Amino acid sequence: MATVVKSTSVLASPDEVWAVLSDFAAISEWAPNVDHSCLLSDQTEGVGTVRRIQTGRTTVVETVTRWEPGVALSYALTGLPTVIRSWTNTWPLAPLSDATTASTTVASTTEIDAGTRPPQKGIAKAIGRKLGQASDEMLVGIAEQFKAQRDAQEADA
């Protein structure tokens, strides 16, 4: 199994970041590498919520496996090439207590299981590098979401 962890700091509270992450159908509004997203389930929140995302010509289905408001969101992906046994993303949130304004560390932890044999582990690592780049793009997108909100608030003041 390969694990890739990326993180950034966001000038927003964990609850504010959670509000963006938990709007599960709306990832395409803030993640620049997601072209389209929509819910596939009647359920809109909690474990079992399902969405479809499209990135370029790739389409995957993501099912929520962990839903802890203000703490963490995890989902498993399906619709992947058969070389991938499982792939999960987890978004843990942690408040930054030393900041003078509300700030949160947002991480993206991706786990890829392609099997236990050395060639399979190599495939998982290679895919992990690519997914790490995708996580970096999503983290920039979520940080920019809050920067745009702050800029709009300052312009209105």
mmCIF file of all heavy atoms in Angstrom, residues 52-82:
data_model
loop_
_atom_site.group_PDB
_atom_site.id
_atom_site.type_symbol
_atom_site.label_atom_id
_atom_site.label_comp_id
_atom_site.label_asym_id
_atom_site.label_seq_id
_atom_site.Cartn_x
_atom_site.Cartn_y
_atom_site.Cartn_z
ATOM 1 N N ARG A 52 -20.271 11.361 -8.016
ATOM 2 C CA ARG A 52 -19.519 11.031 -9.231
ATOM 3 C C ARG A 52 -18.695 12.254 -9.554
ATOM 4 O O ARG A 52 -19.204 13.385 -9.518
ATOM 5 C CB ARG A 52 -20.493 10.736 -10.365
ATOM 6 C CG ARG A 52 -19.867 10.502 -11.716
ATOM 7 C CD ARG A 52 -20.985 10.445 -12.784
ATOM 8 N NE ARG A 52 -20.457 10.396 -14.114
ATOM 9 C CZ ARG A 52 -20.120 11.461 -14.835
ATOM 10 N NH1 ARG A 52 -20.251 12.668 -14.343
ATOM 11 N NH2 ARG A 52 -19.645 11.331 -16.053
ATOM 12 N N ILE A 53 -17.408 12.060 -9.863
ATOM 13 C CA ILE A 53 -16.596 13.180 -10.319
ATOM 14 C C ILE A 53 -15.975 12.836 -11.662
ATOM 15 O O ILE A 53 -15.743 11.668 -11.984
ATOM 16 C CB ILE A 53 -15.500 13.590 -9.312
ATOM 17 C CG1 ILE A 53 -14.428 12.515 -9.180
ATOM 18 C CG2 ILE A 53 -16.090 13.965 -7.964
ATOM 19 C CD1 ILE A 53 -13.144 13.025 -8.605
ATOM 20 N N GLN A 54 -15.725 13.878 -12.422
ATOM 21 C CA GLN A 54 -15.071 13.708 -13.708
ATOM 22 C C GLN A 54 -13.892 14.664 -13.774
ATOM 23 O O GLN A 54 -14.020 15.850 -13.467
ATOM 24 C CB GLN A 54 -16.036 13.980 -14.847
ATOM 25 C CG GLN A 54 -15.414 13.722 -16.204
ATOM 26 C CD GLN A 54 -16.450 13.754 -17.309
ATOM 27 O OE1 GLN A 54 -17.642 13.709 -17.068
ATOM 28 N NE2 GLN A 54 -15.973 13.841 -18.531
ATOM 29 N N THR A 55 -12.759 14.107 -14.156
ATOM 30 C CA THR A 55 -11.536 14.872 -14.364
ATOM 31 C C THR A 55 -11.022 14.493 -15.738
ATOM 32 O O THR A 55 -10.592 13.358 -15.944
ATOM 33 C CB THR A 55 -10.493 14.535 -13.284
ATOM 34 O OG1 THR A 55 -11.052 14.826 -12.009
ATOM 35 C CG2 THR A 55 -9.228 15.324 -13.461
ATOM 36 N N GLY A 56 -11.135 15.412 -16.666
ATOM 37 C CA GLY A 56 -10.766 15.064 -18.036
ATOM 38 C C GLY A 56 -11.638 13.928 -18.523
ATOM 39 O O GLY A 56 -12.860 13.974 -18.404
ATOM 40 N N ARG A 57 -11.004 12.860 -19.005
ATOM 41 C CA ARG A 57 -11.759 11.708 -19.495
ATOM 42 C C ARG A 57 -11.953 10.634 -18.435
ATOM 43 O O ARG A 57 -12.508 9.579 -18.710
ATOM 44 C CB ARG A 57 -11.034 11.131 -20.706
ATOM 45 C CG ARG A 57 -11.053 12.104 -21.868
ATOM 46 C CD ARG A 57 -10.159 11.720 -22.994
ATOM 47 N NE ARG A 57 -10.368 10.364 -23.450
ATOM 48 C CZ ARG A 57 -9.677 9.809 -24.417
ATOM 49 N NH1 ARG A 57 -8.734 10.485 -25.018
ATOM 50 N NH2 ARG A 57 -9.918 8.575 -24.781
ATOM 51 N N THR A 58 -11.490 10.902 -17.208
ATOM 52 C CA THR A 58 -11.594 9.937 -16.121
ATOM 53 C C THR A 58 -12.807 10.242 -15.253
ATOM 54 O O THR A 58 -13.002 11.382 -14.837
ATOM 55 C CB THR A 58 -10.323 9.974 -15.247
ATOM 56 O OG1 THR A 58 -9.186 9.711 -16.073
ATOM 57 C CG2 THR A 58 -10.406 8.962 -14.129
ATOM 58 N N THR A 59 -13.592 9.217 -14.992
ATOM 59 C CA THR A 59 -14.761 9.342 -14.127
ATOM 60 C C THR A 59 -14.642 8.308 -13.014
ATOM 61 O O THR A 59 -14.343 7.141 -13.279
ATOM 62 C CB THR A 59 -16.056 9.093 -14.928
ATOM 63 O OG1 THR A 59 -16.131 10.054 -15.976
ATOM 64 C CG2 THR A 59 -17.274 9.210 -14.038
ATOM 65 N N VAL A 60 -14.860 8.747 -11.775
ATOM 66 C CA VAL A 60 -14.850 7.829 -10.644
ATOM 67 C C VAL A 60 -16.057 8.106 -9.764
ATOM 68 O O VAL A 60 -16.661 9.181 -9.826
ATOM 69 C CB VAL A 60 -13.553 7.919 -9.798
ATOM 70 C CG1 VAL A 60 -12.345 7.486 -10.595
ATOM 71 C CG2 VAL A 60 -13.356 9.293 -9.221
ATOM 72 N N VAL A 61 -16.382 7.122 -8.946
ATOM 73 C CA VAL A 61 -17.462 7.245 -7.968
ATOM 74 C C VAL A 61 -16.818 7.207 -6.589
ATOM 75 O O VAL A 61 -15.961 6.367 -6.322
ATOM 76 C CB VAL A 61 -18.488 6.103 -8.140
ATOM 77 C CG1 VAL A 61 -19.523 6.126 -7.028
ATOM 78 C CG2 VAL A 61 -19.158 6.210 -9.507
ATOM 79 N N GLU A 62 -17.236 8.148 -5.732
ATOM 80 C CA GLU A 62 -16.675 8.256 -4.390
ATOM 81 C C GLU A 62 -17.788 8.072 -3.365
ATOM 82 O O GLU A 62 -18.823 8.724 -3.454
ATOM 83 C CB GLU A 62 -15.994 9.615 -4.214
ATOM 84 C CG GLU A 62 -14.882 9.829 -5.223
ATOM 85 C CD GLU A 62 -14.279 11.210 -5.203
ATOM 86 O OE1 GLU A 62 -14.973 12.187 -4.832
ATOM 87 O OE2 GLU A 62 -13.093 11.320 -5.573
ATOM 88 N N THR A 63 -17.545 7.182 -2.401
ATOM 89 C CA THR A 63 -18.532 6.877 -1.364
ATOM 90 C C THR A 63 -17.949 7.218 0.002
ATOM 91 O O THR A 63 -16.864 6.740 0.359
ATOM 92 C CB THR A 63 -18.912 5.382 -1.405
ATOM 93 O OG1 THR A 63 -19.386 5.066 -2.716
ATOM 94 C CG2 THR A 63 -19.988 5.063 -0.374
ATOM 95 N N VAL A 64 -18.661 8.049 0.761
ATOM 96 C CA VAL A 64 -18.195 8.482 2.080
ATOM 97 C C VAL A 64 -18.130 7.290 3.029
ATOM 98 O O VAL A 64 -19.097 6.540 3.163
ATOM 99 C CB VAL A 64 -19.112 9.580 2.661
ATOM 100 C CG1 VAL A 64 -18.707 9.921 4.103
ATOM 101 C CG2 VAL A 64 -19.088 10.826 1.788
ATOM 102 N N THR A 65 -16.968 7.135 3.683
ATOM 103 C CA THR A 65 -16.762 6.064 4.648
ATOM 104 C C THR A 65 -16.537 6.602 6.070
ATOM 105 O O THR A 65 -16.593 5.845 7.036
ATOM 106 C CB THR A 65 -15.545 5.208 4.255
ATOM 107 O OG1 THR A 65 -14.388 6.062 4.167
ATOM 108 C CG2 THR A 65 -15.785 4.499 2.928
ATOM 109 N N ARG A 66 -16.268 7.896 6.176
ATOM 110 C CA ARG A 66 -16.075 8.538 7.490
ATOM 111 C C ARG A 66 -16.593 9.971 7.395
ATOM 112 O O ARG A 66 -16.263 10.694 6.461
ATOM 113 C CB ARG A 66 -14.595 8.555 7.855
ATOM 114 C CG ARG A 66 -14.277 9.218 9.185
ATOM 115 C CD ARG A 66 -12.788 9.148 9.467
ATOM 116 N NE ARG A 66 -12.418 9.887 10.661
ATOM 117 C CZ ARG A 66 -11.174 10.196 10.975
ATOM 118 N NH1 ARG A 66 -10.181 9.815 10.198
ATOM 119 N NH2 ARG A 66 -10.917 10.883 12.075
ATOM 120 N N TRP A 67 -17.406 10.352 8.357
ATOM 121 C CA TRP A 67 -18.040 11.670 8.366
ATOM 122 C C TRP A 67 -18.030 12.194 9.793
ATOM 123 O O TRP A 67 -18.872 11.834 10.603
ATOM 124 C CB TRP A 67 -19.464 11.542 7.836
ATOM 125 C CG TRP A 67 -20.214 12.812 7.687
ATOM 126 C CD1 TRP A 67 -20.889 13.502 8.666
ATOM 127 C CD2 TRP A 67 -20.424 13.557 6.488
ATOM 128 N NE1 TRP A 67 -21.484 14.615 8.145
ATOM 129 C CE2 TRP A 67 -21.221 14.674 6.802
ATOM 130 C CE3 TRP A 67 -20.012 13.382 5.173
ATOM 131 C CZ2 TRP A 67 -21.616 15.611 5.863
ATOM 132 C CZ3 TRP A 67 -20.404 14.312 4.235
ATOM 133 C CH2 TRP A 67 -21.196 15.399 4.572
ATOM 134 N N GLU A 68 -17.039 12.994 10.121
ATOM 135 C CA GLU A 68 -16.930 13.583 11.452
ATOM 136 C C GLU A 68 -16.874 15.098 11.291
ATOM 137 O O GLU A 68 -15.804 15.649 10.996
ATOM 138 C CB GLU A 68 -15.676 13.089 12.170
ATOM 139 C CG GLU A 68 -15.697 11.623 12.545
ATOM 140 C CD GLU A 68 -14.443 11.231 13.295
ATOM 141 O OE1 GLU A 68 -14.227 11.763 14.396
ATOM 142 O OE2 GLU A 68 -13.679 10.415 12.752
ATOM 143 N N PRO A 69 -18.012 15.780 11.452
ATOM 144 C CA PRO A 69 -18.060 17.229 11.220
ATOM 145 C C PRO A 69 -16.959 17.990 11.967
ATOM 146 O O PRO A 69 -16.741 17.792 13.162
ATOM 147 C CB PRO A 69 -19.448 17.614 11.733
ATOM 148 C CG PRO A 69 -20.270 16.374 11.498
ATOM 149 C CD PRO A 69 -19.325 15.252 11.826
ATOM 150 N N GLY A 70 -16.236 18.819 11.206
ATOM 151 C CA GLY A 70 -15.166 19.625 11.747
ATOM 152 C C GLY A 70 -13.886 18.874 12.039
ATOM 153 O O GLY A 70 -12.892 19.465 12.455
ATOM 154 N N VAL A 71 -13.884 17.542 11.787
ATOM 155 C CA VAL A 71 -12.727 16.711 12.136
ATOM 156 C C VAL A 71 -12.139 16.006 10.908
ATOM 157 O O VAL A 71 -10.949 16.149 10.618
ATOM 158 C CB VAL A 71 -13.092 15.664 13.212
ATOM 159 C CG1 VAL A 71 -11.912 14.756 13.529
ATOM 160 C CG2 VAL A 71 -13.594 16.355 14.472
ATOM 161 N N ALA A 72 -12.952 15.222 10.194
ATOM 162 C CA ALA A 72 -12.422 14.456 9.067
ATOM 163 C C ALA A 72 -13.530 13.940 8.161
ATOM 164 O O ALA A 72 -14.631 13.630 8.619
ATOM 165 C CB ALA A 72 -11.584 13.281 9.555
ATOM 166 N N LEU A 73 -13.185 13.846 6.879
ATOM 167 C CA LEU A 73 -14.046 13.252 5.856
ATOM 168 C C LEU A 73 -13.193 12.247 5.096
ATOM 169 O O LEU A 73 -12.069 12.562 4.699
ATOM 170 C CB LEU A 73 -14.546 14.337 4.896
ATOM 171 C CG LEU A 73 -15.293 13.861 3.657
ATOM 172 C CD1 LEU A 73 -16.662 13.313 4.049
ATOM 173 C CD2 LEU A 73 -15.449 14.995 2.655
ATOM 174 N N SER A 74 -13.705 11.032 4.908
ATOM 175 C CA SER A 74 -13.020 10.010 4.112
ATOM 176 C C SER A 74 -13.982 9.441 3.097
ATOM 177 O O SER A 74 -15.187 9.347 3.358
ATOM 178 C CB SER A 74 -12.526 8.849 4.985
ATOM 179 O OG SER A 74 -11.572 9.261 5.906
ATOM 180 N N TYR A 75 -13.423 9.043 1.949
ATOM 181 C CA TYR A 75 -14.242 8.381 0.943
ATOM 182 C C TYR A 75 -13.400 7.385 0.161
ATOM 183 O O TYR A 75 -12.200 7.546 -0.004
ATOM 184 C CB TYR A 75 -14.921 9.379 0.007
ATOM 185 C CG TYR A 75 -14.021 10.462 -0.552
ATOM 186 C CD1 TYR A 75 -13.286 10.268 -1.714
ATOM 187 C CD2 TYR A 75 -13.930 11.693 0.080
ATOM 188 C CE1 TYR A 75 -12.481 11.269 -2.223
ATOM 189 C CE2 TYR A 75 -13.134 12.695 -0.424
ATOM 190 C CZ TYR A 75 -12.399 12.483 -1.574
ATOM 191 O OH TYR A 75 -11.590 13.478 -2.074
ATOM 192 N N ALA A 76 -14.069 6.321 -0.268
ATOM 193 C CA ALA A 76 -13.452 5.286 -1.094
ATOM 194 C C ALA A 76 -13.837 5.545 -2.535
ATOM 195 O O ALA A 76 -14.955 5.973 -2.820
ATOM 196 C CB ALA A 76 -13.939 3.911 -0.656
ATOM 197 N N LEU A 77 -12.906 5.293 -3.436
ATOM 198 C CA LEU A 77 -13.135 5.508 -4.856
ATOM 199 C C LEU A 77 -13.310 4.185 -5.576
ATOM 200 O O LEU A 77 -12.598 3.217 -5.288
ATOM 201 C CB LEU A 77 -11.957 6.262 -5.479
ATOM 202 C CG LEU A 77 -11.851 7.716 -5.035
ATOM 203 C CD1 LEU A 77 -11.049 7.843 -3.765
ATOM 204 C CD2 LEU A 77 -11.244 8.539 -6.130
ATOM 205 N N THR A 78 -14.243 4.150 -6.519
ATOM 206 C CA THR A 78 -14.437 2.980 -7.373
ATOM 207 C C THR A 78 -14.482 3.454 -8.818
ATOM 208 O O THR A 78 -14.625 4.637 -9.091
ATOM 209 C CB THR A 78 -15.742 2.228 -7.029
ATOM 210 O OG1 THR A 78 -16.835 3.142 -7.108
ATOM 211 C CG2 THR A 78 -15.685 1.627 -5.637
ATOM 212 N N GLY A 79 -14.358 2.503 -9.727
ATOM 213 C CA GLY A 79 -14.335 2.837 -11.145
ATOM 214 C C GLY A 79 -12.913 3.025 -11.632
ATOM 215 O O GLY A 79 -12.672 3.657 -12.653
ATOM 216 N N LEU A 80 -11.981 2.453 -10.896
ATOM 217 C CA LEU A 80 -10.564 2.599 -11.208
ATOM 218 C C LEU A 80 -10.084 1.421 -12.040
ATOM 219 O O LEU A 80 -10.732 0.378 -12.084
ATOM 220 C CB LEU A 80 -9.773 2.654 -9.901
ATOM 221 C CG LEU A 80 -10.225 3.731 -8.923
ATOM 222 C CD1 LEU A 80 -9.601 3.507 -7.556
ATOM 223 C CD2 LEU A 80 -9.852 5.095 -9.453
ATOM 224 N N PRO A 81 -8.934 1.564 -12.674
ATOM 225 C CA PRO A 81 -8.374 0.405 -13.382
ATOM 226 C C PRO A 81 -8.230 -0.778 -12.427
ATOM 227 O O PRO A 81 -7.987 -0.596 -11.227
ATOM 228 C CB PRO A 81 -6.995 0.907 -13.845
ATOM 229 C CG PRO A 81 -7.121 2.395 -13.874
ATOM 230 C CD PRO A 81 -8.100 2.748 -12.787
ATOM 231 N N THR A 82 -8.353 -1.985 -12.946
ATOM 232 C CA THR A 82 -8.347 -3.181 -12.107
ATOM 233 C C THR A 82 -7.027 -3.389 -11.372
ATOM 234 O O THR A 82 -6.984 -4.142 -10.408
ATOM 235 C CB THR A 82 -8.683 -4.432 -12.933
ATOM 236 O OG1 THR A 82 -7.753 -4.515 -14.018
ATOM 237 C CG2 THR A 82 -10.092 -4.377 -13.450
#
